[in-house]
Amino acid sequence: LMYKMVTMVPPGEAVRAGVRVCRLLQKPGTFVVTWPRAYHAGFSHGVNCAESSNFATPDWLPWGRQSVEIFRTTRGARLPCFTHELLLTTLARKAATLSAHISSWVESELRSLVREEERLHAALRERGVAALVDAASGAPLDAGAVGEEGGEEGGGRGG
């Protein structure tokens, strides 16, 4: 239930559970930044026009990976609102335009992603899956294809 968009936890319950609770009243023209792994909720006091925007600094990328893992392994969790893997691959495609600082974060996260994919592929093979195919093209995936493209010995880009 905690991973559903409609879950509201009364602040008193959170305080009794030892969670630090903050309260604010957002004024027109101000921003509220919510840090990773923070629960937040809000409601409107009358007529309003609201907009939200998600952004992340490079050091957020490991938090994103951790969030993906939590959503994937938590029974009943809703689907994430965006694909972390797509974010990483999009950044990798733009590596030539990124700073060395950002590229180093992206490279590290891509390497983690490749290792996890290789681990999952191996687990499928151990369970008897005879062949893996690319979902988009239907082309067979070789056992080492992921590592050859972007793994430790491959042509990965970075800072």
Side-chain angles (χ1 to χ4, degrees):
L1 190 58
M2 282 300 297
Y3 292 97
K4 305 292 183 193
M5 290 293 288
V6 296
T7 305
M8 294 283 293
V9 176
E13 292 294 320
V15 169
R16 280 190 287 283
V19 175
R20 188 172 146 236
V21 174
C22 301
R23 180 182 76 85
L24 70 86
L25 178 61
Q26 185 177 9
K27 303 282 185 171
T30 61
F31 295 91
V32 175
V33 176
T34 305
W35 298 104
R37 300 196 67 197
Y39 173 86
H40 66 283
F43 43 88
S44 301
H45 300 276
V47 178
N48 74 52
C49 178
E51 181 179 356
S52 66
S53 178
N54 294 316
F55 70 95
T57 57
D59 59 345
W60 174 86
L61 290 172
W63 290 101
R65 179 170 28 94
Q66 183 182 38
S67 175
V68 167
E69 183 64 21
I70 290 169
F71 276 95
R72 184 173 40 157
T73 59
T74 302
R75 185 180 177 137
R78 66 182 173 87
L79 293 174
C81 59
F82 74 96
T83 307
H84 188 66
E85 294 83 353
L86 181 60
L87 172 64
L88 290 174
T89 55
T90 300
L91 288 170
R93 283 189 199 101
K94 297 176 183 263
T97 64
L98 302 177
S99 71
H101 172 72
I102 294 173
S103 292
S104 66
W105 282 94
V106 172
E107 178 185 24
S108 175
E109 287 303 307
L110 280 172
R111 289 188 187 281
S112 294
L113 176 62
V114 167
R115 282 191 300 273
E116 179 65 4
E117 285 293 315
E118 289 172 335
R119 185 188 72 73
L120 292 170
H121 284 200
L124 286 172
R125 286 189 179 88
E126 286 175 15
R127 291 183 177 188
V129 175
L132 299 173
V133 296
D134 181 277
S137 69
L141 293 175
D142 296 331
V146 174
E148 290 168 9
E149 290 295 319
E152 297 294 324
E153 61 283 317
R157 291 189 235 179

